[in-house]
């Protein structure tokens, strides 16, 4: 399984943008980049995913480097509810396999 | 639309006992995965079920087994419980295979004494 590297923790202020980095230098050409987050006492929640192009949805944006060796999850305007552990995950599109390999993730703290 | 529900939410067992955890998948979802999350760690993949058959397994011993029923609900069974089995057990469902968009339940917290 290809590995990702994320900072252990980050801190930001409410209503400011947050950029969560992820390095994945061993990514293969067909690996998808997924982001999940886990709020306290809850199961993980899907945030966004992409392959090569930048992606936007109602929750966040995903910026993927041109060489695909890194990506950044962008929360445009953080709220207190965005405080969570954020996981960057690579997933090979093997038919039938939905195995997600979670690392330690980044614990995001939002200050009021 | 009802999300993924798991039961029980918390339970305590002693070493050597057996436990069954249950999961109702989200409506319309035919694939279920189970994950184990130890305290302070990310979730680890146990196995996946599709149309009542196991079709993917992580690095867990055979005493971890499962079932998927015709209505796509699922059970995780763990025999001969060990202290290290204490963890949050998460169930996730999805509407099809080969997707990375999973919908997780809130988990069952198992404590083994």
């Amino acid at each position: 399984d290809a590995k990702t590297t994320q900072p252990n923790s980050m801190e930001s202020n409410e209503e400011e943008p947050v950029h969560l980095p992820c390095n994945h230098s061993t990514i293969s050409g067909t690996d998808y980049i997924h982001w999940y987050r886990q709020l306290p006492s809850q199961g993980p929640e899907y945030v966004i995913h992409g392959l090569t192009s930048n992606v936007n949805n109602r929750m966040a944006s995903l910026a993927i480097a041109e060489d695909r060796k890194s990506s950044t999850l962008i929360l445009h305007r953080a709220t207190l509810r965005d405080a969570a552990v954020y996981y960057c995950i690579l997933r090979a599109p093997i038919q039938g396999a939905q195995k997600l390999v979670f690392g330690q993730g980044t614990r995001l703290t939002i200050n009021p | 639309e009802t999300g993924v529900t798991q039961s029980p939410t918390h339970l305590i067992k002693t070493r050597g006992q057996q436990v069954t955890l249950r999961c109702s998948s989200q409506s319309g979802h035919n694939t279920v995965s189970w994950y184990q999350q130890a305290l302070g760690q990310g979730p680890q993949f146990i196995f996946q079920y599709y149309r009542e058959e196991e079709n993917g397994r992580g690095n867990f011993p055979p005493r971890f087994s499962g079932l998927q029923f015709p209505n796509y609900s699922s059970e995780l069974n763990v025999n001969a419980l060990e202290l290290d089995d204490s963890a949050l057990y998460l169930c996730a469902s999805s509407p099809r295979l080969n997707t990375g968009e999973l919908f997780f339940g809130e988990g069952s917290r198992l404590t083994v004494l």
Side-chain angles (χ1 to χ4, degrees):
Chain A
D1 300 311
K3 196 176 172 183
T4 62
T5 304
Q6 299 177 253
N8 288 333
S9 62
M10 289 184 63
E11 202 169 323
S12 186
N13 297 319
E14 203 174 5
E15 299 187 5
E16 289 184 356
V18 180
H19 290 233
L20 295 159
C22 180
N23 286 319
H24 29 78
S25 58
T26 60
I27 190 170
S28 75
T30 55
D31 284 345
Y32 286 86
I33 302 161
H34 288 262
W35 283 82
Y36 276 75
R37 70 180 186 181
Q38 189 170 19
L39 279 65
S41 302
Q42 294 191 24
E45 175 187 28
Y46 167 84
V47 177
I48 199 166
H49 79 279
L51 185 60
T52 56
S53 305
N54 294 344
V55 185
N56 300 295
N57 67 20
R58 62 174 180 82
M59 289 180 69
S61 295
L62 176 59
I64 301 173
E66 204 167 320
D67 63 5
R68 300 206 333 122
K69 293 186 176 183
S70 66
S71 60
T72 303
L73 179 71
I74 303 165
L75 307 179
H76 294 285
R77 201 159 167 262
T79 70
L80 295 177
R81 289 191 72 251
D82 291 322
V85 177
Y86 286 78
Y87 296 99
C88 171
I89 299 164
L90 300 183
R91 186 184 72 88
I94 300 169
Q95 185 61 35
Q98 291 182 318
K99 174 184 173 183
L100 297 180
V101 180
F102 289 80
Q104 296 284 87
T106 297
R107 182 172 297 278
L108 176 64
T109 300
I110 304 295
N111 300 315
Chain B
E1 185 180 81
T2 307
V4 177
T5 58
Q6 295 187 241
S7 63
T9 53
H10 294 83
L11 70 166
I12 299 173
K13 292 284 188 178
T14 56
R15 198 168 45 179
Q17 285 189 312
Q18 176 265 344
V19 69
T20 297
L21 307 177
R22 296 177 176 82
C23 171
S24 291
S25 57
Q26 190 162 320
S27 176
H29 289 192
N30 58 17
T31 304
V32 171
S33 305
W34 285 91
Y35 287 77
Q36 179 195 65
Q37 186 173 24
L39 206 58
Q41 305 293 317
Q44 281 196 313
F45 175 76
I46 302 175
F47 44 52
Q48 171 187 308
Y49 278 83
Y50 172 67
R51 291 187 176 177
E52 302 177 56
E53 294 207 358
E54 183 184 301
N55 75 333
R57 190 176 184 94
N59 190 25
F60 281 82
R63 59 190 185 84
F64 285 78
S65 63
L67 283 173
Q68 187 181 29
F69 300 100
N71 66 354
Y72 304 131
S73 66
S74 178
E75 283 182 357
L76 165 65
N77 298 291
V78 187
N79 292 324
L81 284 167
E82 301 176 359
L83 297 180
D84 284 349
D85 295 334
S86 295
L88 181 68
Y89 289 86
L90 294 158
C91 171
S93 73
S94 62
R96 60 188 182 279
L97 285 175
N98 200 26
T99 174
E101 188 173 350
L102 306 185
F103 296 79
F104 283 84
E106 294 194 349
S108 295
R109 169 79 59 192
L110 170 66
T111 302
V112 182
L113 302 176

